[in-house]
Amino acid sequence: MKKSLKLFSVAVALFIVFAGIGYYAVKSSAYMDVSQVLKLDHRAKVTVRGYLVGTQYDAQAKKLYILLEGKDGSKLVAVADAKYIEDKYGPIQYLQWDPNNVVLQGIYDPQHKVLVVTDILEGCHSNYGQPAART
Amino acid sequence: MPNTDKIAYLLVIVFVLDALVGSYAVLRAPYPAFVNLGSPAAYLNIYIHVPVAMISYVLYTGAFIAAILYLAKHRERYDRYVYAFTLVATLYAAYVLVSGSIWAHESWGSYWNWDPRETGVLLLFLAYLVYFALRSSIADPDRRPVVSATYAIAAYAMVPISYAAPRIASSSLHPTKALLQGFMEQPEVRAIFYTKVLLVLLIGLLAVKLYVDKEALSPRARRALKLSILVSVLVMLSIAGYLSAQYSGGKVTRVYAVFGSPSDAKLLVKMGNEFTNITIAENLSKYVVEGRIALVGHVVKLVGLQDHAAKKLEVLVPSCVILDFIFYALFISGLGYTLLRRETSIGEEEL
């Protein structure tokens, strides 16, 4: 009985350690908000989530400019290579956006306060509100 | 008939039913009509990937309970259950990681994003891989089950963490249960999805029970199990082959936009490196959902294509679903191998 209690105590202690590590790892993998990215003072690869204020396409430079807003209203300009985006997602003018749910991955340049986008990730939350169909 | 044989014959039925329901799902099941990225039909993975993910948590919970019982009562049978639950659950988790990555590439734009749920499941999988390494490293047969059970209890901490990951993190690409509810409440979705969940659960629980008692399995039951696994895998691979074969006999491309009415539709598709409009002769009213032509994002085959006009259009199941289904067949065969392998009197393994 005493031995079992000792073993259970060790198991519970390790459980708490695992839970702590797991919780920290999961919490840390959450996407950054725009306001958090703007506070960075060094170049870094980031994944940022924000509200889509608008987009602008520069056909000559082949760049897509994306304006994201954070929870505190701060704004971040992100620039994406249009060709990369079109190869992956199709013509820019036909991209479907869920403005509440835009996630961008890229390199943040604190000197120019610009995010150079390497990928556009979008959440699928809105999809489950869609009608079911077999088309 | 011994109980072990009864369980084996039940598993025979469940394996075949699971293959049939899975096949029906990829051929006929509904999916969201409009999505932001990738093919809407990629969400057929809901019927393949999600049930296995859910049941992996159930099986790890089984290992957790068995480990507590072992530490409390020190009976060898409980240790066997800890090992069996952990082994089957880890096979399930391995499939979840692979199938999830393949689906993510289509619907989220890359195979791995360090999304909180992805991170949680990976940590869970790695934590339980350590269980096997730890168990194998202990030479003392009396200490082995004690240390293993203690570790299995500790590692279980990763299960609620990975389940609750989208809520723990302030953001995640994985939807929460509340957001899924709308889609899951649709009758046909519920029927297929929950049938698949039940079958995957039965496979897991019966596989665990059989693994614990497999030495008692009769040769006839063993043969029946082998045959059912073979039949299930062949059914699934045949369906995957059939879906892959649909890619031939026309120009395969993706739809990026739809213009016009169903009787006079133009699709914006990619031909080589260029985006181009294609007129479809066929009436597309069968693709109308809530007043809109639900074709954007779909991988389609254009039949009779000539001079920017096609006679017919067929919506194809995307490769991510076909691949996930093939991997599911491999997963079932891997599970079967785990159940059926045994040691002969000289310690060699045979089926």
Side-chain angles (χ1 to χ4, degrees):
Chain A
M1 182 70 172
K2 222 175 171 180
K3 194 182 176 188
S4 293
L5 271 171
K6 189 180 169 189
L7 290 167
F8 274 118
S9 306
V10 172
V12 166
L14 281 175
F15 183 99
I16 293 167
V17 170
F18 271 77
I21 294 169
Y23 182 87
Y24 180 77
V26 162
K27 191 82 179 164
S28 301
S29 66
Y31 305 125
M32 296 176 79
D33 182 67
V34 167
S35 53
Q36 292 171 300
V37 173
L38 290 169
K39 285 178 187 152
L40 291 173
D41 59 5
H42 57 276
R43 275 173 69 89
K45 185 178 178 185
V46 297
T47 305
V48 58
R49 184 181 205 119
Y51 176 79
L52 180 73
V53 177
T55 61
Q56 195 172 318
Y57 176 47
D58 183 342
Q60 219 168 8
K62 287 265 182 212
K63 297 281 180 207
L64 174 69
Y65 294 93
I66 302 162
L67 189 62
L68 279 191
E69 187 177 272
K71 286 176 186 166
D72 64 352
S74 53
K75 291 184 174 52
L76 174 68
V77 173
V79 57
D81 178 56
K83 187 172 184 320
Y84 173 78
I85 300 301
E86 285 197 334
D87 283 347
K88 199 162 183 183
Y89 303 107
I92 283 170
Q93 59 266 45
Y94 298 115
L95 284 182
Q96 293 180 47
W97 296 91
D98 174 6
N100 297 312
N101 198 31
V102 174
V103 178
L104 304 178
Q105 210 166 57
I107 311 291
Y108 179 64
D109 176 2
Q111 200 181 2
H112 300 101
K113 290 204 180 297
V114 161
L115 177 73
V116 179
V117 176
T118 54
D119 215 342
I120 300 175
L121 311 176
E122 289 186 278
C124 59
H125 297 201
S126 65
N127 305 331
Y128 294 100
Q130 298 289 348
R134 180 91 198 191
T135 51
Chain B
M1 187 191 292
N3 279 339
T4 312
D5 280 6
K6 285 181 191 166
I7 288 164
Y9 287 121
L10 186 56
L11 192 50
V12 163
I13 297 167
V14 175
F15 269 137
V16 173
L17 277 177
D18 178 63
L20 293 173
V21 171
S23 301
Y24 179 83
V26 299
L27 289 170
R28 291 274 180 269
Y31 44 76
F34 308 98
V35 302
N36 281 348
L37 186 67
S39 166
Y43 287 80
L44 287 169
N45 278 306
I46 284 170
Y47 306 102
I48 315 171
H49 165 85
V50 178
V52 180
M54 286 168 66
I55 302 308
S56 70
Y57 291 141
V58 173
L59 296 172
Y60 278 127
T61 305
F64 176 67
I65 294 169
I68 291 173
L69 287 171
Y70 178 80
L71 287 187
K73 299 195 188 291
H74 287 276
R75 277 199 215 141
E76 190 252 344
R77 195 163 174 76
Y78 291 134
D79 173 58
R80 289 169 71 89
Y81 271 107
V82 176
Y83 187 85
F85 269 116
T86 306
L87 179 63
V88 176
T90 304
L91 283 172
Y92 273 54
Y95 174 76
V96 167
L97 284 168
V98 170
S99 59
S101 298
I102 293 170
W103 185 4
H105 181 251
E106 172 71 24
S107 297
W108 292 345
S110 67
Y111 289 107
W112 193 265
N113 304 295
W114 293 108
D115 167 79
R117 174 67 63 72
E118 286 178 333
T119 305
V121 174
L122 178 64
L123 288 173
L124 167 70
F125 176 72
L126 293 173
Y128 276 100
L129 276 188
V130 169
Y131 168 85
F132 297 106
L134 183 67
R135 191 184 172 95
S136 302
S137 69
I138 299 168
D140 183 345
D142 290 330
R143 280 190 68 230
R144 189 183 305 133
V146 172
V147 175
S148 304
T150 307
Y151 181 82
I153 292 170
Y156 185 75
M158 294 311 306
V159 170
I161 296 287
S162 76
Y163 178 77
R167 275 187 218 91
I168 292 171
S170 51
S171 52
S172 169
L173 292 174
H174 270 91
T176 59
K177 199 175 172 189
L179 284 157
L180 277 171
Q181 224 161 349
F183 182 72
M184 292 306 185
E185 273 169 5
Q186 299 180 62
E188 202 185 339
V189 174
R190 279 161 74 97
I192 301 169
F193 179 78
Y194 287 114
T195 303
K196 197 69 173 76
V197 169
L198 180 64
L199 290 168
V200 170
L201 173 65
L202 283 173
I203 287 174
L205 294 177
L206 294 173
V208 165
K209 181 74 177 131
L210 209 57
Y211 189 88
V212 169
D213 294 326
K214 67 177 171 177
E215 299 311 321
L217 203 55
S218 70
R220 178 178 259 189
R222 186 179 285 273
R223 275 195 301 275
L225 206 48
K226 234 189 257 185
L227 185 63
S228 74
I229 292 166
L230 187 65
V231 164
S232 306
V233 169
L234 280 175
V235 164
M236 288 189 275
L237 291 181
S238 303
I239 296 297
Y242 165 76
L243 291 172
S244 301
Q246 303 307 300
Y247 278 67
S248 62
K251 173 72 185 168
V252 175
T253 184
R254 192 183 290 270
V255 178
Y256 293 97
V258 182
F259 310 106
S261 65
S263 58
D264 183 30
K266 270 193 171 67
L267 306 184
L268 182 68
V269 300
K270 199 165 190 185
M271 297 288 192
N273 289 326
E274 299 293 321
F275 292 105
T276 186
N277 286 330
I278 300 289
T279 308
I280 306 294
E282 182 191 5
N283 190 306
L284 300 181
S285 49
K286 64 180 172 179
Y287 298 112
V288 172
V289 177
E290 293 192 349
R292 293 155 62 190
I293 301 174
L295 281 173
V296 175
H298 272 295
V299 178
V300 299
K301 181 170 71 180
L302 302 171
V303 181
L305 184 65
Q306 209 172 11
D307 293 333
H308 299 285
K311 287 189 182 142
K312 232 177 75 147
L313 170 145
E314 283 173 30
V315 171
L316 301 176
V317 172
S319 57
C320 64
V321 175
I322 299 173
L323 270 175
D324 277 350
F325 204 47
I326 290 171
F327 275 112
Y328 187 78
L330 291 176
F331 154 70
I332 292 293
S333 56
L335 186 60
Y337 171 78
T338 304
L339 289 176
L340 292 170
R341 72 181 187 139
R342 60 183 171 180
E343 288 186 3
T344 63
S345 56
I346 56 170
E348 287 176 354
E349 288 176 5
E350 67 173 54
L351 282 175

